Amino acid sequence: MAFTTVARVGEISVGGAKQVTVAGKTLALFNVNGNFHAIDNECPHRNAPLAEGTLQGTELECPWHGARFDVCTGAVLSPPARSGVKAYKVQVSGDEVQVEV
Ligand code: FES
């Protein structure tokens, strides 16, 4: 497991998201009040791209059917998704946002 640079700090505004690919995985990267969080991009319900969801605080709403997830842990908070997604460690080094995959 190693940290890989996936974005620059200034690329993702507070409350914003970016879809990134690292080590063959597609992740959704979020900026929650200056803290970055990464989870698998694919919603476990019907595979919607979670990077296109709506972020409120640390809660993300899936863009297709409204399942909610905690972007810090990947845990599912409300249906129709029945399971959560994997969350990844994120660190900031200088102006680089790095994810451990
Ligand atoms: S695809 Fe995410 S809730 Fe249906």
Side-chain angles (χ1 to χ4, degrees), residues 21-74:
T21 303
V22 54
K25 294 174 185 284
T26 305
L27 309 185
L29 183 65
F30 300 94
N31 180 342
V32 179
N33 296 322
N35 296 314
F36 292 88
H37 300 278
I39 59 175
D40 276 329
N41 190 49
E42 204 168 85
C43 180
H45 178 233
R46 292 280 188 270
N47 313 117
L50 292 177
E52 294 176 16
T54 305
L55 191 63
Q56 279 193 316
T58 57
E59 284 189 27
L60 176 76
E61 186 175 302
C62 175
W64 287 2
H65 316 105
R68 296 173 80 84
F69 301 89
D70 182 326
V71 297
C72 301
T73 64

